């Protein structure tokens, strides 16, 4: 898939995500918009996956550690054929399997249950270690938020990945510079991330995480060490009035805002 | 009755654990051990020599250890996660909830040196909350074997069971109670001694003390039934209801707080089905003083003579 086509798919996913959050009256739209370009590149170009056989042992793994942006993952998985796209309309409805955080036993394509922060990277390290033990060819990807890197469990895991020489592991940090309550810089500023990861023995690539031309080659990179992509992104990317605004972490647009956002995303289509 | 009481020789259940794990790992290549710098205390030295690539030591990092084990299960391995029970369950409780129990990951959590095995090291190292913390979690059998034979049988069962479990082991020696060849059935209590006057229920290091208490009671004309209830969740409701209806009084003892553990689990079944007088023996909601595990069990009223005394007092309420 060419970059332009991927960009078009990402915009369609953004639009569907916006609709789902608006309809449900809840969601984490800001962090979803920052992550969608990377999700699109993974599921429509990079990952070796089997939508009809979601647990295929040879599949590449993707763990969404920032589980509160589940809606973006659901839309991506559905669009990629893991389950019917119509089901997105059940997001957060009673008894829907699409709850606010992904469940691996209910939703095809979800690898592990996430929601509490700082869980995905340790699990991804276990998946990558299992791959090494069985000489499997699959690659493991995990995406965290930048605020999420304040969790100590991530740094336990970062040490282990280096010690275990996991060159079959890619960590993507969605560096949108905002967490729930404030800017990262005003909370517990873990940035700059590159020197910290490098000090722990990782190879680090910094990219514009909303630019396919930079995202895809970074995701496809293979080296001798565990690889971290520091993806500089914009919270609320693609919707003018949401961009880089902390209050859009989990705010829901009103009717006027929704229509404006739909118009902006549709224009780009 | 499932078994007689037998030997006076004491065994460290960790030896049975390690030998069985090595045996299972030689049959099943997917079995791996995960630990937190605890090769020695988990008795994983032999495993490490035989299967060096399959011993994954994450260092002193319990949250990562449990997450890694969930990932290993995702990649088709069967991890046995071995760490001091106080740190495994306490430090990584949310990982146990989200990554293991909620995800239903095929991970075997082995809490070593549980209860007050680290008696002299103080309450930070006592693991007398682990039943309470783990038995509220769905999908997670909670098991405390009473001797080396039940330990080996439970480990064999865990390796063959396609789901998570939490199994706690002491490091304090216990005599054999169950017969060689005993098969572990999760959720099923073993009736070690028959009786109609009262039922004594325990697991782990307390079962053999209950048997001794029953001997003392027999000399005073009280016939006590003894149930070894290794599985705290799912609890053997049938055995508890039968005990309540047939013997009319129940005493529990455990190397755990009396809040939230085996006694609480038994009491929940009793109160819902067949209310009878009960006495729960354990650590009474305080931090323990310094002393060995054996000393502390005696200190908290769980010497066989004290159990017998508490039972006689309870019988007055029947």
């Amino acid at each position: 898939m060419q970059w332009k086509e991927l960009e078009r798919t990402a915009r369609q996913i953004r639009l569907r995500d916006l609709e789902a959050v608006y309809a449900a009256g809840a969601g984490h739209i800001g962090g979803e918009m920052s992550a969608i370009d990377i999700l699109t590149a993974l599921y429509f170009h990079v990952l070796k996956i089997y939508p009809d056989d979601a647990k295929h042992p040879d599949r590449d793994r993707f763990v969404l550690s920032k589980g509160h942006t589940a809606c973006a993952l659901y839309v991506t998985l559905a669009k990629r054929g893991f389950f019917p796209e119509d089901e997105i309309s059940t997001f957060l409805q009673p008894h829907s399997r699409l709850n606010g955080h992904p469940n691996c036993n209910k939703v095809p394509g979800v690898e592990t249950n996430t929601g509490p922060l700082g869980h995905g990277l340790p699990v991804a390290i276990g998946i990558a270690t299992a791959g090494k033990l069985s000489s499997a060819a699959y690659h493991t990807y995990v995406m965290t938020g930048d605020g999420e890197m304040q969790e100590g469990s991530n740094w336990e895991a970062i040490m282990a990945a280096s010690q275990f020489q996991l060159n079959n592991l890619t960590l993507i940090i969605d560096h949108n510079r905002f967490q729930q309550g404030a800017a990262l810089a005003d909370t517990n500023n873990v940035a700059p991330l590159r020197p910290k990861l490098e000090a722990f023995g990782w190879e680090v690539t910094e990219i514009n995480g909303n630019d396919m031309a930079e995202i895809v080659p970074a995701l496809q990179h293979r080296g001798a060490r565990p690889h971290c992509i520091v993806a500089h992104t914009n919270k609320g990317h693609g919707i003018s009035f949401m961009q880089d605004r902390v209050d859009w972490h989990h705010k829901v647009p009103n009717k006027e805002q929704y229509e404006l956002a739909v118009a902006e995303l549709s224009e780009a289509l | 009755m499932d078994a007689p009481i037998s030997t006076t020789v004491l065994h460290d259940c960790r030896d049975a654990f390690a030998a069985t794990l090595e045996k299972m790992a030689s049959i099943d290549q997917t079995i791996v051990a995960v630990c937190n710098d605890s090769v020695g205390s988990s008795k994983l030295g032999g495993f490490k020599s035989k299967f060096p690539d399959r011993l994954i030591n994450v260092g002193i990092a319990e949250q990562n250890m449990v997450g890694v084990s969930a990932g290993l299960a995702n990649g088709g391995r069967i991890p046995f996660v071995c760490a001091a029970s106080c740190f495994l369950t306490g430090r990584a409780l949310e990982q146990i909830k989200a990554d293991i129990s909620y995800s239903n990951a095929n991970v075997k959590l082995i809490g070593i040196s549980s209860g007050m095995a680290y008696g002299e090291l103080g309450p930070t190292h006592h693991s007398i909350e682990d039943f309470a913390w783990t038995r509220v979690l769905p999908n997670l059998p909670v098991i405390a074997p009473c001797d080396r034979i039940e330990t080996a049988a439970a480990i064999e069962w865990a390796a063959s069971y396609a789901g998570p479990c939490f199994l706690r082991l002491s490091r304090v020696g216990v005599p054999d109670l169950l017969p060689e060849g005993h098969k572990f059935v999760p959720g099923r209590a073993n009736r070690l001694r028959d009786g109609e006057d009262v039922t004594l229920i325990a697991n782990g290091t307390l079962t053999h003390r209950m048997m001794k208490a029953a001997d003392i009671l027999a000399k005073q004309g009280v016939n006590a039934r003894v149930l070894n209830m290794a599985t705290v969740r799912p609890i053997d409701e049938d055995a508890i209801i039968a005990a309540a209806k047939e013997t009319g009084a129940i005493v529990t003892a455990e190397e755990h707080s009396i809040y939230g553990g085996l006694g609480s689990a038994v009491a929940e079944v009793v109160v819902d089905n067949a209310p009878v007088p009960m006495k729960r023996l354990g650590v009474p909601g305080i931090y323990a003083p310094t002393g060995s595990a054996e000393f502390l069990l005696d200190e908290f009223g769980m010497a066989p003579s004290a159990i017998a005394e508490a039972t006689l007092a309870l019988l007055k309420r029947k």
Side-chain angles (χ1 to χ4, degrees):
Chain A
M1 206 180 253
Q2 294 304 302
W3 296 173
K4 288 286 172 208
E5 209 175 328
L6 284 174
E7 286 164 9
R8 182 180 155 81
T9 303
R11 284 194 292 271
Q12 290 168 343
I13 292 171
R14 279 198 167 83
L15 186 58
R16 188 68 193 89
D17 183 279
L18 168 75
E19 290 168 354
V21 170
Y22 181 68
H28 288 85
I29 195 162
E32 282 157 9
M33 294 299 148
S34 66
I36 280 173
D37 294 305
I38 293 161
L39 289 173
T40 304
L42 281 165
Y43 281 92
F44 288 85
H45 193 77
V46 174
L47 294 178
K48 184 178 65 179
I49 43 176
Y50 307 84
D52 295 331
D53 183 9
K55 302 268 190 205
H56 193 295
D58 298 336
R59 71 195 185 277
D60 287 335
R61 268 69 160 180
F62 172 72
V63 172
L64 182 68
S65 192
K66 44 178 282 184
H68 53 283
T69 58
C71 189
L73 180 64
Y74 298 152
V75 173
T76 307
L77 288 171
K79 196 167 177 57
R80 188 65 178 81
F82 281 87
F83 56 88
E85 288 189 69
D86 292 352
E87 201 176 326
I88 297 298
S89 62
T90 72
F91 176 58
L92 305 188
Q93 297 302 307
H95 290 295
S96 170
R97 60 180 172 173
L98 306 182
N99 80 39
H101 296 89
N103 182 324
C104 64
N105 293 310
K106 293 185 175 174
V107 185
V110 174
E111 294 291 349
T112 187
N113 295 354
T114 52
L117 298 175
H119 285 241
L121 182 56
V123 175
I125 283 164
I127 297 173
T129 302
K132 289 276 182 192
L133 284 169
S134 56
S135 304
Y138 66 75
H139 194 87
T140 303
Y141 295 87
V142 53
M143 183 193 281
T144 65
D146 52 2
E148 183 181 356
M149 297 310 292
Q150 292 161 357
E151 290 281 8
S153 52
N154 282 322
W155 298 95
E156 294 182 359
I158 284 165
M159 290 185 274
S162 183
Q163 178 75 19
F164 298 165
Q165 303 178 321
L166 298 178
N167 62 347
N168 57 349
L169 174 74
T170 300
L171 161 65
I172 307 144
I173 302 176
D174 181 12
H175 194 7
N176 63 26
R177 308 179 309 287
F178 292 94
Q179 48 198 105
Q180 176 174 276
L184 185 75
D186 295 333
T187 308
N188 184 353
N189 196 2
V190 290
L193 289 154
R194 176 196 279 267
K196 297 182 178 73
L197 270 293
E198 284 179 341
F200 280 112
W202 287 56
E203 184 177 0
V204 181
T205 308
E206 296 201 53
I207 62 165
N208 176 347
N210 297 123
D211 181 349
M212 287 297 170
E214 295 191 30
I215 294 169
V216 172
L219 291 173
Q220 290 175 327
H221 173 78
R222 297 291 183 268
R225 292 179 287 159
H227 183 213
C228 174
I229 300 172
V230 178
H232 295 274
T233 60
N234 300 306
K235 200 150 188 166
H237 187 82
I239 302 170
S240 59
F241 59 88
M242 286 187 194
Q243 195 150 316
D244 291 342
R245 296 279 305 276
V246 68
D247 47 338
W248 285 100
H249 180 79
H250 51 44
K251 190 168 150 180
V252 178
N254 62 29
K255 187 165 185 295
E256 194 180 309
Q257 290 165 329
Y258 172 69
E259 285 168 357
L260 179 58
V262 168
E264 287 184 10
L265 291 172
S266 302
E267 189 182 354
L269 283 173
Chain B
M1 289 233 309
D2 290 323
I5 186 164
S6 51
T7 66
T8 52
V9 180
L10 303 182
H11 298 279
D12 182 339
C13 290
R14 293 177 302 168
D15 294 320
F17 157 69
T20 309
L21 184 66
E22 288 170 34
K23 186 181 87 179
M24 302 309 291
S26 66
I27 298 166
D28 185 342
Q29 304 299 311
T30 66
I31 288 176
V32 298
V34 186
C35 69
N36 61 338
D37 190 29
S38 56
V39 172
S41 56
S42 302
K43 302 243 179 191
L44 289 172
F47 188 99
K48 189 180 177 185
S49 314
K50 288 182 181 139
F51 317 105
D53 297 340
R54 288 153 64 187
L55 187 282
I56 296 152
N57 187 346
V58 300
I60 306 161
E62 291 76 22
Q63 297 179 62
N64 185 47
M65 174 179 68
V66 173
V68 164
S69 64
L72 286 163
N74 175 292
R77 307 297 102 180
I78 303 176
F80 279 74
V81 186
C82 310
S85 199
C86 54
F87 307 131
L88 171 64
T89 57
R91 194 105 181 201
L93 185 57
E94 191 187 75
Q95 277 74 16
I96 293 174
K97 173 185 170 184
D99 307 347
I100 308 296
S101 156
Y102 181 38
S103 292
N104 202 22
N106 189 17
V107 172
K108 323 302 171 182
L109 303 165
I110 311 295
I112 303 284
S113 306
S114 62
M116 289 175 295
Y118 285 138
E120 297 90 340
L121 300 187
T124 54
H125 285 55
H126 299 166
S127 192
I128 57 167
E129 306 88 3
D130 50 9
F131 283 156
W133 288 340
T134 55
R135 83 175 179 92
V136 296
L137 299 175
N139 301 328
L140 190 73
V142 175
I143 301 155
C146 70
D147 68 2
R148 69 179 176 96
I149 293 157
E150 190 171 38
T151 300
I155 295 297
E156 284 192 21
W157 167 81
S160 65
Y161 169 65
C165 63
F166 168 61
L167 193 145
R168 100 208 274 256
L169 297 176
S170 180
R171 60 199 288 146
V172 175
V174 286
D176 290 348
L177 293 170
L178 294 163
E180 292 284 359
H182 170 75
K183 188 172 157 43
F184 176 77
V185 181
R188 183 178 174 280
N190 316 111
R191 191 183 295 193
L192 296 184
R193 183 178 177 124
D194 247 334
E196 60 285 341
D197 296 332
V198 63
T199 301
L200 311 182
I201 302 178
N203 60 22
T205 53
L206 264 301
T207 302
H208 76 95
R209 286 172 173 250
M210 285 302 217
M211 291 294 280
K212 287 176 186 157
D215 284 342
I216 296 168
L217 288 165
K219 286 176 190 150
Q220 303 188 39
V222 174
N223 290 323
R225 179 180 298 182
V226 178
L227 296 180
N228 172 50
M229 196 156 288
T231 316
V232 177
R233 179 199 176 103
I235 197 94
D236 188 341
E237 296 199 6
D238 292 343
I240 295 167
I241 294 166
K245 289 184 174 167
E246 292 163 19
T247 71
I250 293 174
V251 178
T252 61
E254 60 197 304
E255 199 171 345
H256 190 274
S257 168
I258 58 165
Y259 301 111
L262 174 69
S264 298
V266 170
E268 289 160 11
V269 177
V270 168
V271 80
D272 279 352
N273 295 280
V276 294
M278 269 193 73
K279 178 65 183 174
R280 293 173 294 127
L281 298 171
V283 182
I286 61 167
Y287 289 111
T290 300
S292 69
E294 299 282 33
F295 165 82
L296 290 171
L297 291 175
D298 290 351
E299 185 78 1
F300 291 123
M302 290 181 281
S305 57
I307 295 171
E309 213 170 294
T311 304
L312 291 171
L314 178 73
L315 288 176
K316 291 179 186 153
R317 291 172 46 203
K318 257 178 93 172

